[in-house]
C-alpha cells in the first residue's frame, strides 16, 4: 500500500478529532466535558470503586488532568470519595446515584456510537483490526520507550 504513513496518521488524527467532537456534543446535555466521559464510563462499567491512579491507567490520562476531572465530577455530585485526606490519589472513588444514572446513559450512547462506527465490518474483521491496532500501539510505545532511554 502506497502512502501508508500519510493514510495512517491522517486517519488516526481524524478518528481522534471525531471522538472528541462526539464526546463534547453528547455531554452537553449533562454539562460535562469530554475528559469526564471516560471517568464516568469506567466507574460505571466496573460497577466498583476505583482510585484516581487506576482511572489514569484505564483512561490513559495524566495525573493532573484526572485530578481536575475528579474535582469537577465531585462538585457536580456525580462521584464521591470515601477518604477525606489531602492525598486522594489512591483513595477509592465511586459513582453517586446521580452518577450511576448518567453512567447508564453514557454507556448506552457509547454502545450505540460504537455500533454506528462499526457498520459494515464483520466480527472477524473487527477482531483483526483491534489486534492490529493494539500491536501498532504497543510497537510505538516500545519505540518511544527505547528512544527516551537512548536520549538519557
Amino acid at each position: 500500500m502506497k502512502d501508508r504513513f500519510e493514510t495512517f496518521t491522517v486517519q488516526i488524527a481524524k478518528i481522534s478529532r471525531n471522538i472528541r467532537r462526539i464526546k463534547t456534543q453528547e455531554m452537553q446535555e449533562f454539562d460535562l466535558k469530554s475528559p469526564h466521559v471516560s471517568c464516568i464510563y469506567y466507574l460505571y462499567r466496573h460497577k466498583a470503586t476505583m482510585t484516581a491512579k487506576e482511572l489514569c491507567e484505564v483512561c490513559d490520562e495524566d495525573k493532573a488532568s484526572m485530578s481536575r476531572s475528579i474535582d469537577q465530577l465531585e462538585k457536580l455530585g456525580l462521584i464521591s470519595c470515601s477518604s477525606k485526606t489531602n492525598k486522594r490519589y489512591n483513595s477509592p472513588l465511586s459513582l453517586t446515584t446521580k452518577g450511576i444514572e448518567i453512567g447508564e446513559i453514557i454507556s448506552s450512547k457509547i454502545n450505540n456510537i460504537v455500533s454506528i462506527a462499526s457498520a459494515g465490518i464483520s466480527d472477524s474483521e473487527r477482531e483483526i483490526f483491534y489486534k492490529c491496532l493494539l500491536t501498532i500501539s504497543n510497537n510505538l510505545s516500545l519505540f518511544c520507550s527505547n528512544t527516551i532511554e537512548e536520549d538519557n
Side-chain angles (χ1 to χ4, degrees), residues 12-141:
I12 293 292
K14 274 183 169 179
I15 290 168
S16 182
R17 275 193 309 275
N18 284 327
I19 290 169
R20 277 194 307 275
R21 275 190 217 134
I22 291 167
K23 283 180 175 181
T24 299
Q25 179 181 334
E26 294 296 320
M27 292 303 102
Q28 283 178 344
E29 69 181 280
F30 306 113
D31 199 28
L32 297 174
K33 307 258 185 274
S34 177
H36 301 150
V37 174
S38 295
C39 288
I40 294 172
Y41 175 76
Y42 284 110
L43 283 168
Y44 177 78
R45 187 173 144 211
H46 290 281
K47 306 252 189 258
T49 61
M50 294 179 79
T51 64
K53 182 179 181 178
E54 291 168 331
L55 281 171
C56 283
E57 290 170 10
V58 296
C59 298
D60 196 30
E61 290 286 340
D62 63 78
K63 188 176 175 180
S65 174
M66 185 57 64
S67 181
R68 284 189 300 274
S69 290
I70 289 168
D71 286 345
Q72 292 166 343
L73 291 169
E74 254 188 317
K75 287 175 186 164
L76 292 169
L78 301 178
I79 64 170
S80 64
C81 179
S82 58
S83 173
K84 299 301 177 197
T85 65
N86 288 340
K87 295 192 177 205
R88 299 183 333 154
Y89 191 61
N90 289 312
S91 299
L93 302 166
S94 58
L95 291 174
T96 62
T97 302
K98 182 179 175 185
I100 291 169
E101 291 169 5
I102 291 177
E104 186 175 349
I105 295 167
I106 287 172
S107 184
S108 177
K109 285 178 179 276
I110 287 171
N111 290 337
N112 184 48
I113 292 165
V114 168
S115 292
I116 291 168
S118 300
I121 301 172
S122 71
D123 288 343
S124 61
E125 289 171 324
R126 187 175 15 271
E127 189 176 323
I128 291 167
F129 170 75
Y130 284 125
K131 181 180 178 189
C132 292
L133 192 60
L134 182 61
T135 300
I136 291 168
S137 179
N138 289 339
N139 288 344
L140 291 174
S141 291

